[in-house]
Amino acid sequence: MLRNGERLDELNLKDLVIIQHKDKFKFGMDAVLLANFVTAKKGDKIVDLGCGSGIIPILIAAKTQDTFIYGVEIQEDMADMATRSVAINKMEERIKIIKGDVRGLEKILGYEKFDIVTSNPPYMPVKTGFDKKQESENIARYEIYGGLEEFIKAASKLLKFGGKFFMIHRTERLVDILYFLRKYNLEPKKLRFVHPYVDSKPNLLLIESKKGSQPGLNILAPLYVYEKSGEYTKEIIEIYSKTQLEEE
């Protein structure tokens, strides 16, 4: 099932594995933090926008009960890898990977049909310039096929009233994020800043918003990634080893 240049990486969770290519975009801590920030109920219908290798759908499926997750990825080769990873893990009844664009996605998946939408979108506007040779790296990092507004707009269209949108992004985009969430009737409810070290400023943020909700934002305690020694903090280790997403 592996193709030239691909490898099978263990996820250290319920014997799960994932296919990754040595020369293409590989998932990082961002995806793991986002997947574990999600809270889902049994039977929820979920969409992950820009699923890449399929890491977020696989982690969520492994840590929830009877949920069904669509992973949407515009790159055909990445969508193919994700599809094969789902098959290797025997998750075909829980996850379906779709090769598609987030723009106009509601025409394919349906309008207001989902309980949860997640996204670890490209962080950087195209005007900032490319710094990678591989096309897959550029598409994953830069807003080539839809920017922040398009991803948030897609989430709003897919979510039921009261549905939740979970996203991870860079802190410098916070004002844009809050603006577009409000614009598309997604009220920010929880915000958590991610700091590399205790004495460093945050570089990432995790945010949960709810469609049609009343205002009221809860700023959560900061999440610190590394100890001064360079080792992961206790909380990061706990996040990686989490086996169940908290249900509300």
Side-chain angles (χ1 to χ4, degrees):
M1 196 170 251
L2 290 180
R3 295 175 182 163
N4 189 37
E6 294 179 347
R7 69 188 192 217
L8 204 59
D9 293 335
E10 295 182 1
L11 295 178
N12 299 315
L13 173 70
K14 301 178 181 179
D15 298 321
L16 295 174
V17 294
I18 193 165
I19 300 170
Q20 299 200 94
H21 193 287
K22 63 182 181 67
D23 296 325
K24 296 177 182 176
F25 186 81
K26 291 170 278 294
F27 79 87
M29 179 180 290
D30 305 25
V32 178
L33 294 181
L34 177 60
N36 286 282
F37 187 62
V38 171
T39 54
K41 299 187 296 295
K42 184 176 180 178
D44 274 351
K45 291 182 66 179
I46 303 170
V47 183
D48 181 46
L49 303 177
C51 71
S53 62
I55 180 63
I56 291 174
I58 289 171
L59 290 178
I60 292 176
K63 300 182 181 193
T64 56
Q65 296 184 47
D66 298 328
T67 53
F68 187 86
I69 307 155
Y70 284 98
V72 181
E73 173 56 45
I74 197 164
Q75 299 184 73
E76 188 170 355
D77 54 349
M78 296 297 287
D80 175 66
M81 274 199 299
T83 298
R84 287 182 284 125
S85 289
V86 170
I88 287 174
N89 290 306
K90 297 180 171 57
M91 288 182 162
E92 297 98 327
E93 294 184 359
R94 300 279 310 283
I95 302 172
K96 182 175 178 59
I97 305 298
I98 296 174
K99 192 272 177 185
D101 195 320
V102 299
R103 296 166 294 187
L105 187 59
E106 73 283 355
K107 296 174 184 176
I108 300 170
L109 295 182
Y111 185 70
E112 295 188 338
K113 298 290 186 183
F114 294 89
D115 304 290
I116 291 173
V117 174
T118 62
S119 188
N120 178 13
Y123 290 156
M124 292 173 278
V126 174
K127 65 182 179 182
T128 57
F130 299 149
D131 62 0
K132 297 290 180 181
K133 293 181 180 179
Q134 284 290 330
E135 182 184 18
S136 67
E137 293 271 358
N138 286 331
I139 293 172
R141 297 177 187 277
Y142 296 91
E143 297 174 334
I144 297 171
Y145 293 106
L148 178 61
E149 181 173 9
E150 283 75 27
F151 275 79
I152 291 174
K153 183 178 181 180
S156 180
K157 288 184 175 182
L158 294 168
L159 284 169
K160 301 174 182 176
F161 185 84
K164 296 181 291 186
F165 177 44
F166 297 89
M167 183 172 65
I168 188 166
H169 216 291
R170 290 193 170 181
T171 51
E172 60 260 35
R173 301 297 299 276
L174 176 58
V175 174
D176 294 332
I177 291 166
L178 296 176
Y179 172 77
F180 289 129
L181 288 174
R182 274 267 175 95
K183 180 177 178 179
Y184 293 103
N185 196 27
L186 294 170
E187 187 63 29
K189 302 303 293 181
K190 294 178 184 178
L191 175 63
R192 190 173 199 191
F193 291 106
V194 182
H195 303 244
Y197 295 90
V198 172
D199 56 356
S200 63
K201 64 181 182 180
N203 61 345
L204 293 172
L205 62 88
L206 291 156
I207 189 162
E208 173 191 330
S209 55
K210 192 171 184 180
K211 187 170 181 178
S213 178
Q214 293 296 313
L217 176 62
N218 183 16
I219 306 294
L220 305 178
L223 175 59
Y224 302 111
V225 176
Y226 298 106
E227 302 284 2
K228 288 186 178 180
S229 63
E231 297 178 346
Y232 283 152
T233 60
K234 181 181 177 182
E235 186 170 9
I236 289 293
I237 293 171
E238 289 173 349
I239 287 172
Y240 268 83
S241 59
K242 200 172 181 181
T243 58
Q244 186 174 356
L245 297 179
E246 184 179 348
E247 296 186 355
E248 292 185 339

